Amino acid sequence: MNRHEKRIASNKLIILLILEEIGFPLTKEQITDIVLQNNLINYFDMQQCLIELEKSKMIEKVKNKDQYTNTSLGLQTLSALLAKIPKSIVELIKKYAIKNKDIIKL
């Protein structure tokens, strides 16, 4: 796996983790805001990751809404590969989710 592929795989795990830690469906705009505010993924890679995660059935759109949620396959993948995400990023996402969950839900 080359460097670009590793970065994209890591970014996909980050998106899965964000969806898991927030705990409710998020729009593409909300995901974009989270990753850009925290300097986790660049905009273009994030767009690519969302498309690929949806195609691979790791995330899905909530019925009649433009919001994404993890599927059971996405959760299994995250669980199996969570250790591949640097601990500092995991902690950053967890802290962000705790601090901002109520604001995002509005």
Side-chain angles (χ1 to χ4, degrees), residues 9-22 53 58-59 70-85 89-90 93-94:
S10 177
N11 291 344
K12 288 178 185 179
L13 290 172
I14 288 170
I15 292 170
L16 292 173
L17 180 61
I18 289 169
L19 288 169
E20 175 65 10
E21 289 299 322
I22 294 294
L53 284 167
M58 289 193 199
I59 62 172
N70 284 330
T71 64
S72 58
L73 177 59
L75 291 173
Q76 289 171 357
T77 302
L78 178 61
S79 177
L81 299 174
L82 183 62
K84 299 284 185 188
I85 304 173
I89 292 176
V90 172
I93 292 169
K94 287 182 180 202

Side-chain angles (χ1 to χ4, degrees):
M1 189 181 292
N2 69 36
R3 204 156 101 173
H4 174 73
E5 290 169 336
K6 285 181 183 179
R7 187 180 77 238
I8 294 298
S10 177
N11 291 344
K12 288 178 185 179
L13 290 172
I14 288 170
I15 292 170
L16 292 173
L17 180 61
I18 289 169
L19 288 169
E20 175 65 10
E21 289 299 322
I22 294 294
F24 51 82
L26 297 172
T27 65
K28 185 185 293 188
E29 291 77 20
Q30 289 170 315
I31 297 168
T32 301
D33 287 345
I34 293 168
V35 300
L36 293 179
Q37 283 177 22
N38 292 286
N39 203 26
L40 295 169
I41 306 170
N42 76 53
Y43 177 81
F44 299 105
D45 283 352
M46 196 231 29
Q47 297 298 321
Q48 177 185 352
C49 289
L50 283 176
I51 291 166
E52 291 178 12
L53 284 167
E54 190 172 13
K55 280 184 182 177
S56 64
K57 308 229 184 280
M58 289 193 199
I59 62 172
E60 63 187 0
K61 286 187 179 175
V62 177
K63 293 179 183 174
N64 300 321
K65 295 195 178 185
D66 202 21
Q67 297 174 314
Y68 292 97
T69 188
N70 284 330
T71 64
S72 58
L73 177 59
L75 291 173
Q76 289 171 357
T77 302
L78 178 61
S79 177
L81 299 174
L82 183 62
K84 299 284 185 188
I85 304 173
K87 289 180 183 181
S88 60
I89 292 176
V90 172
E91 288 304 313
L92 180 116
I93 292 169
K94 287 182 180 202
K95 287 178 184 176
Y96 182 90
I98 290 167
K99 183 178 178 184
N100 296 287
K101 200 179 281 196
D102 292 336
I103 297 166
I104 295 169
K105 199 168 193 173
L106 297 177

